[in-house]
């Protein structure tokens, strides 16, 4: 049981970290392609709701942002997005 709690706590930390990046990207105007909660495969076990993909295997979280818009924003905004994850933790 303690292992399950430890895994869930680590997952929660990763989710908060990626959520920080996602929130900052939205604030500075960079669109999000997809926010993945859990492993993105196998596709048969994942559920997609809007831009959020949820998997029962809660091992990781990831964020996919629009590369073309990301390259258009200023260096300051890129730094804000990059630092938002660690700051959220």
């Amino acid at each position: 049981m303690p292992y399950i709690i430890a895994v869930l706590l680590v997952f929660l930390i990763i989710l908060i970290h990626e959520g920080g990046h996602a929130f900052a990207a939205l604030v500075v105007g960079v669109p999000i392609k997809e926010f993945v909660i859990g492993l993105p495969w196998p596709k048969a076990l994942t559920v997609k709701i809007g831009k959020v993909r949820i998997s029962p295997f809660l091992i990781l979280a990831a964020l996919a942002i629009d590369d073309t818009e990301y390259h258009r924003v200023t260096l300051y905004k890129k730094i804000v997005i990059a630092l938002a994850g660690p700051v959220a933790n």
Side-chain angles (χ1 to χ4, degrees), residues 21-64:
H21 289 303
F23 179 74
L26 290 174
V27 168
V28 300
V30 177
I32 294 174
K33 286 184 182 177
E34 188 174 49
F35 190 82
V36 180
I37 300 169
L39 289 175
W41 48 267
K43 297 257 184 195
L45 297 177
T46 62
V47 176
K48 189 167 183 180
I49 304 168
K51 293 185 178 185
V52 178
R53 182 179 301 274
I54 303 170
S55 168
F57 304 110
L58 302 177
I59 297 172
L60 60 85
L63 176 71

